[in-house]
Amino acid sequence: MKCPYCENDDSKVIDSRHTEDGHAIRRRRECEACGRRFTTYEKVEEMILMVIKKDGRREAFDRSKLLNGIIRACEKRPVSIASMEKIVEEIERGLNNMMEKEIESTFIGELVMERLKELDEVAYVRFASVYRQFTDINTFVAEIEKLLTNKKN
């Protein structure tokens, strides 16, 4: 680590501790050449994940946008906010583990529907109706029939 005072490359770590939020390590260092002390922060470099929308636009992944969509689908349903946040965390972790820089929004939507189907069927149908853009009652009924068929098996 280069000293900010004399630009010497050699320094020793005197103290290390986690920051309050736990997302970085604060290191107190001393320069081997001039003896002055300085603080550095070390944190994991996060990869920016881009979402490719249906119309081809690209935008940065926004976990709050994902959570808001799930909250709307679960409105007036017996689903805790903790369960909804868990879905978002699992999806975000899974996307980051894929090590892809760009992900199609349709893939993310399918992941949400899989988890909502397990959590609450009404929330699943609500989300699917917006996500898949049901155009008429027949499409809506067909989705419910698929859900019922899968439930019987």
Side-chain angles (χ1 to χ4, degrees), residues 69-79 84 116 119 123 126:
I70 293 171
I71 288 171
R72 277 192 302 258
C74 295
E75 205 167 12
K76 297 182 182 177
R77 299 296 305 153
V79 179
M84 292 181 244
L116 283 177
L119 186 66
R126 284 179 180 169

Side-chain angles (χ1 to χ4, degrees), residues 76-91:
K76 297 182 182 177
R77 299 296 305 153
V79 179
S80 69
I81 192 73
S83 298
M84 292 181 244
E85 287 173 341
K86 184 179 177 194
I87 290 173
V88 173
E89 285 175 24
E90 289 172 355
I91 290 172

Side-chain angles (χ1 to χ4, degrees), residues 18-35:
H18 292 281
T19 57
E20 286 181 23
D21 65 3
H23 293 292
I25 295 176
R26 178 184 182 273
R27 297 197 193 280
R28 199 68 187 130
R29 296 177 178 270
E30 184 177 301
C31 177
E32 298 276 327
C34 70

